[in-house]
Amino acid sequence: MKPEIKEKVENCFIYCIKAINKEGTEEEKKYIQDTFKILMQQPYQGAGSGIGHVHANYPFSERTTWEKEIQEYPLRTRTPKEYMLLFFDWANLNDKEMYEYCQQIKSSMEYNFTLQHIIENLAEIGEIEKIKEYIPLFRPDDWNENNNNQYSGYRSILRYYAKQGDSGNFFKTLKFCNSRTLPDEIAAAKALLVQTIYRENGIEGMLKICEHKKIGKKFYNAILWDLHVCQGKYNSLKKLIDQCHSIKAWLNEVDCYNETKYLVSAYYFAHKEKKEADDDFEELFERTLQIDPTIKNGVFNLRDSLLLDLAQTQQHNKDRYMRCKKAIKSNTAKRELPH
């Protein structure tokens, strides 16, 4: 790193802390913004560990990266905390160096967010014992001293074990994760564990882990919907349902039309993503027509929603397309289709 760049970045660490503590000046704010613009033109110095942490309201999301920030959001206005984490990442500070700045933050919320960034970086490289040293350093909320926030650190460990497919350590860690707070985060970690085990051990491994009392069959969805439907893997989904009695039984136990919903949705995504899919239109069309039109699915009923999806897979076939459009009952739904 060039000495003049290093000096600017180190100044920004100080100015960011001052701004987070509401002690900064407009001149310092401009200095931070100008330095960030300079760094955007410099070779990246970091390790690519990521920035921030998985957002509590979007548990399936990923951490952002320097590359993503400068390519997709180069002109976005950022908070002092966001700038500081970006500078941390670019300068490739280690955990101790980051914590030297972190501990100067007065607000418990901003401090804990920054500490979580440090912990997530350690989780990326499997430094679990180091994470456990930082967990007691979480501060209670300024507005609720009874909430020590340490569960956030344990959830980083939980996600690490989920990515490793280490169910033993996953369940040992789970009891420290305060499952009642932001339960979607816990569900996301469980789904990630199931997906990892499925990739490593196939369907038998997935079925076995879903028998655990802390998981359950509802996490079949992590495989069926997330890894098949949403990725347009229609043929493999169809094969999975046909060959696995447990999955087929679960789908029909949840809803007698659930299997049709999954298959049509996967068929739609397969065509949208231009992936290979057997020409099962006629069978799927007939199954969809049998759906009770009173069952809701978002804005429209389930039957009309799936017919919309099927129609969009057949824009190259006028006869099939018009059959789908004619079968749709809702005029509002029909207007979703091109004429």
Side-chain angles (χ1 to χ4, degrees):
M1 189 188 307
K2 296 177 182 177
E4 63 271 20
I5 297 294
K6 182 179 180 181
E7 181 181 358
K8 282 183 176 293
V9 172
E10 289 176 347
N11 287 337
C12 283
F13 293 148
I14 297 168
Y15 295 158
C16 285
I17 292 293
K18 289 179 67 178
I20 291 169
N21 290 338
K22 304 189 185 305
E23 299 167 352
T25 66
E26 286 300 315
E27 290 79 8
E28 289 167 348
K29 179 180 178 181
K30 186 175 186 304
Y31 187 98
I32 291 168
Q33 293 170 341
D34 290 344
T35 301
F36 179 68
K37 291 175 183 176
I38 292 171
L39 294 188
M40 287 171 63
Q41 309 303 319
Q42 299 294 314
Y44 176 62
Q45 305 287 312
S49 299
I51 298 164
H53 60 89
V54 177
H55 197 288
N57 293 330
Y58 303 96
F60 287 97
S61 66
E62 296 292 333
R63 303 174 77 201
T64 189
T65 63
W66 176 269
E67 182 181 15
K68 182 176 182 179
E69 289 293 316
I70 65 171
Q71 288 185 357
E72 298 184 18
Y73 317 111
L75 303 178
R76 185 170 73 83
T77 302
R78 293 173 170 84
T79 65
K81 174 186 65 187
E82 290 172 327
Y83 276 120
M84 187 173 70
L85 297 188
L86 283 163
F87 292 139
F88 279 176
D89 181 69
W90 188 89
N92 200 21
L93 267 60
N94 63 37
D95 58 289
K96 291 182 178 179
E97 291 169 330
M98 287 187 283
Y99 190 70
E100 282 295 315
Y101 292 107
C102 177
Q103 64 185 349
Q104 299 174 41
I105 298 173
K106 295 178 180 179
S107 161
S108 66
M109 183 172 69
E110 303 284 30
Y111 166 87
N112 287 338
F113 190 98
T114 306
L115 179 58
Q116 189 70 39
H117 166 85
I118 297 170
I119 285 173
E120 289 287 353
N121 276 15
L122 291 170
E124 289 288 334
I125 56 176
E127 291 279 6
I128 303 305
E129 293 307 313
K130 267 195 176 183
I131 291 176
K132 291 178 180 178
E133 293 175 11
Y134 280 106
I135 286 176
L137 301 180
F138 275 100
R139 294 177 186 167
D141 293 330
D142 291 332
W143 58 91
N144 180 8
E145 293 186 358
N146 294 322
N147 183 11
N148 64 25
N149 290 298
Q150 293 183 15
Y151 67 85
S152 295
Y154 283 109
R155 289 183 181 196
S156 295
I157 298 176
L158 192 74
R159 284 190 289 271
Y160 170 79
Y161 286 133
K163 289 178 182 178
Q164 301 302 309
D166 185 344
S167 58
N169 279 314
F170 181 93
F171 292 121
K172 288 178 184 177
T173 305
L174 183 60
K175 59 187 177 184
F176 299 109
C177 290
N178 187 6
S179 298
R180 293 183 179 180
T181 300
L182 300 171
D184 283 354
E185 276 192 351
I186 301 298
K190 290 179 179 180
L192 182 57
L193 175 69
V194 172
Q195 289 169 354
T196 304
I197 288 174
Y198 172 74
R199 290 189 180 104
E200 293 180 353
N201 302 303
I203 191 64
E204 293 303 321
M206 184 273 277
L207 293 174
K208 184 176 180 180
I209 194 64
C210 287
E211 290 174 2
H212 194 285
K213 63 181 180 180
K214 295 291 185 179
I215 303 294
K217 291 183 178 180
K218 65 182 178 181
F219 282 94
Y220 286 179
N221 217 31
I223 305 304
L224 301 179
W225 192 265
D226 298 338
L227 298 189
H228 287 82
V229 172
C230 292
Q231 295 185 22
K233 296 180 179 179
Y234 172 75
N235 288 351
S236 60
L237 175 66
K238 183 174 66 168
K239 183 178 179 181
L240 201 57
I241 293 171
D242 287 344
Q243 293 184 350
C244 184
H245 173 75
S246 295
I247 287 177
K248 190 177 186 71
W250 175 78
L251 280 171
N252 292 302
E253 177 185 308
V254 173
D255 185 314
C256 62
Y257 303 118
N258 219 28
E259 184 179 333
T260 301
K261 175 183 175 180
Y262 277 59
L263 288 170
V264 171
S265 298
Y267 193 71
Y268 164 78
F269 280 113
H271 282 78
K272 183 180 179 181
E273 302 298 328
K274 296 180 170 54
K275 293 185 177 179
E276 183 180 353
D278 294 339
D279 185 10
D280 292 341
F281 170 81
E282 296 297 342
E283 178 187 349
L284 295 173
F285 180 69
E286 289 301 320
R287 289 180 66 155
T288 303
L289 292 180
Q290 304 306 313
I291 295 176
D292 181 348
T294 65
I295 297 174
K296 286 289 183 182
N297 184 61
V299 178
F300 309 120
N301 64 56
L302 178 61
R303 183 179 180 276
D304 282 355
S305 293
L306 296 184
L307 286 168
L308 271 173
D309 286 348
L310 280 175
Q312 291 177 80
T313 70
Q314 301 300 318
Q315 295 186 51
H316 62 286
N317 187 316
K318 186 177 179 180
D319 175 62
R320 289 179 172 182
Y321 179 82
M322 293 307 297
R323 283 162 61 197
C324 290
K325 188 171 183 178
K326 185 177 180 180
I328 295 172
K329 301 296 184 184
S330 166
N331 288 328
T332 304
K334 286 183 180 181
R335 285 195 289 271
E336 294 288 314
L337 294 171
H339 294 292

